[in-house]
């Protein structure tokens, strides 16, 4: 084979690999985690979350909503369709995975809860319980972990609340049991775990990562290879289990479904 043909066939292989969205092995999905409440090392959540009690689980629904009240999780989601969704997940740190989730469309829950027209954003909080989430005793972040979405983002059909993965009936604790957010066009840190509070609010929530480093982590956190993190490039990523780096795609490859929500916005400013 001449050199040119060799280069072409390697390029073809790479393109093929790019299109291949093989789920990341279960082992990696459940032992390489970010869940700082259980420790900052990637393997710490799997080791330290084993005895986390996720039953019974209450979710407090608050703010600009028809009936603010606390729900037992099964009541909150009763009757809502649980779907399989295989999504890419791109962490802001520069690695990525493909995860087969089971979850409900966030829009279906919001419709059920009936926020008032004043509600412009939805805020989520992780359980605050330092007895169970030991790192909440330390000032790594301001606890509890807080995340949020603009209402149109929350209503986008891609946004789900995951309650399972890899066909298991329940989420592993280290992945955010019993219910966590998944927004695949955004950096992974938007996907808040172990949600105990949902608030409908008028003003943009200040998220845990915005509080910790406002110049590094914005509210929108849309995956964007053209906007680097102040300390590293976001142009490429390492898919867990692969050797070669991949190019990071705008909106993590979901631009067709989400880009119109940000039409006219300066995505360098609104990072
Ligand atoms: N409560 C809470 N949620 C969290 C985090 C966290 O530390 N605490 N880490 C976030 C980050 S940075 C990522 S990349 C994803 C990782 O999700 P996974 O471990 O299920 O892959 O969870 C997000 N949700
Ligand atoms: Mo992340």
């Amino acid at each position: 084979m001449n050199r040119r043909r060799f280069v072409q066939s390697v390029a073809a292989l790479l393109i093929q690999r790019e299109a291949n969205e093989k789920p990341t092995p279960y082992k990696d999905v459940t032992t390489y985690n970010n869940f700082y409440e259980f420790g900052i090392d990637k393997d710490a959540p799997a080791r330290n979350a084993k005895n986390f009690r996720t039953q019974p689980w209450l979710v407090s629904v608050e703010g600009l909503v028809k009936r603010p009240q606390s729900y037992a999780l099964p009541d909150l989601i009763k009757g809502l369709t649980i779907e399989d969704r295989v999504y890419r997940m791109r962490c802001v740190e520069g690695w990525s995975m493909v995860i087969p989730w089971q979850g409900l469309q966030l829009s279906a829950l919001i419709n059920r809860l009936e926020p008032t027209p004043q509600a412009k954003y939805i805020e989520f909080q992780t359980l605050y319980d330092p007895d169970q989430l030991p790192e909440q005793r330390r000032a790594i972040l301001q606890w509890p972990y807080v995340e949020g979405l603009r209402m149109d983002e929350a209503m986008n059909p891609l946004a789900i609340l995951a309650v399972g993965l890899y066909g298991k009936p329940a989420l592993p604790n280290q992945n955010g049991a019993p219910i966590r957010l998944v927004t695949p066009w955004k950096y992974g840190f938007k996907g808040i775990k172990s949600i105990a509070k949902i608030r409908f609010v008028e003003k943009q929530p200040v998220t845990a990562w915005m509080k910790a480093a406002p110049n590094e982590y914005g509210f929108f956190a849309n995956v964007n290879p053209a906007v680097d993190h102040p300390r590293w490039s976001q142009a490429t990523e390492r898919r867990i289990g692969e050797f070669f780096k991949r190019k990071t795609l705008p909106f993590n490859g979901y631009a067709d479904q989400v880009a119109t929500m940000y039409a006219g916005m300066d995505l360098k400013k609104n990072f």
Side-chain angles (χ1 to χ4, degrees), residues 29 32-37 89-93 95 97 99 101 126 141 143 145 165 174-176 180 187-194 209:
V29 172
Y32 190 93
N33 300 102
N34 275 334
F35 197 166
Y36 277 16
E37 287 87 334
M89 186 179 73
R90 168 61 157 83
C91 175
V92 75
E93 296 163 345
W95 53 269
M97 294 189 184
I99 307 181
W101 302 104
T126 295
L141 289 172
W143 310 109
Y145 198 99
L165 59 76
Q174 60 269 35
N175 294 94
R180 63 87 59 87
Y187 290 117
F189 69 83
K190 294 298 287 184
I192 180 170
K193 295 177 169 182
S194 306
W209 281 107

Side-chain angles (χ1 to χ4, degrees), residues 50-271:
K50 288 202 174 79
N51 298 321
F52 184 46
R53 287 189 304 276
T54 59
Q55 253 180 343
W57 189 268
L58 296 177
V59 179
S60 176
V61 176
E62 305 178 2
L64 305 168
V65 61
K66 196 166 182 186
R67 287 172 307 276
Q69 72 177 75
S70 181
Y71 295 85
L73 179 58
D75 296 334
L76 182 71
I77 65 173
K78 191 178 289 167
L80 300 180
T81 307
I82 307 292
E83 300 170 43
D84 290 302
R85 299 277 183 101
V86 182
Y87 282 155
R88 292 177 289 278
M89 186 179 73
R90 168 61 157 83
C91 175
V92 75
E93 296 163 345
W95 53 269
S96 64
M97 294 189 184
V98 178
I99 307 181
W101 302 104
Q102 283 77 53
L104 53 105
Q105 215 167 285
L106 176 56
S107 65
L109 178 65
I110 292 173
N111 287 336
R112 161 176 293 185
L113 294 175
E114 297 183 82
T116 69
Q118 288 77 40
K120 299 288 185 285
Y121 295 88
I122 183 169
E123 178 188 307
F124 301 92
Q125 294 186 20
T126 295
L127 179 70
Y128 182 71
D129 182 359
D131 287 339
Q132 289 211 78
L133 302 159
E135 296 300 313
Q136 287 181 340
R137 295 195 188 283
R138 303 208 296 162
I140 314 167
L141 289 172
Q142 272 183 55
W143 310 109
Y145 198 99
V146 173
E147 261 306 338
L149 297 169
R150 209 171 57 190
M151 201 54 75
D152 61 323
E153 300 180 300
M155 293 300 290
N156 188 284
L158 283 184
I160 62 166
L161 292 170
V163 293
L165 59 76
Y166 258 99
K168 312 262 172 189
L171 272 180
N173 291 342
Q174 60 269 35
N175 294 94
I179 186 163
R180 63 87 59 87
L181 179 67
V182 182
T183 47
W185 71 98
K186 294 178 176 288
Y187 290 117
F189 69 83
K190 294 298 287 184
I192 180 170
K193 295 177 169 182
S194 306
I195 296 165
K197 198 176 278 191
I198 299 176
R199 298 175 64 216
F200 291 93
V201 295
E202 197 169 351
K203 295 210 179 77
Q204 185 174 292
V206 181
T207 69
W209 281 107
M210 289 166 74
K211 267 188 209 152
N215 60 320
E216 299 190 353
Y217 308 104
F219 179 79
F220 288 96
N222 293 314
V223 175
N224 191 342
V227 177
D228 288 336
H229 187 280
R231 292 183 282 130
W232 57 83
S233 164
Q234 294 292 27
T236 61
E237 65 197 58
R238 191 172 69 89
R239 180 69 52 86
I240 297 301
E242 291 184 357
F243 181 74
F244 292 106
K245 282 200 163 187
R246 289 171 176 254
K247 278 206 164 89
T248 288
L249 302 174
F251 301 105
N252 203 22
Y254 298 99
D256 287 353
Q257 290 105 304
V258 302
T260 55
M261 294 193 291
Y262 310 102
M265 272 176 67
D266 181 347
L267 298 179
K268 285 209 158 68
K269 250 172 72 187
N270 297 285
F271 58 89

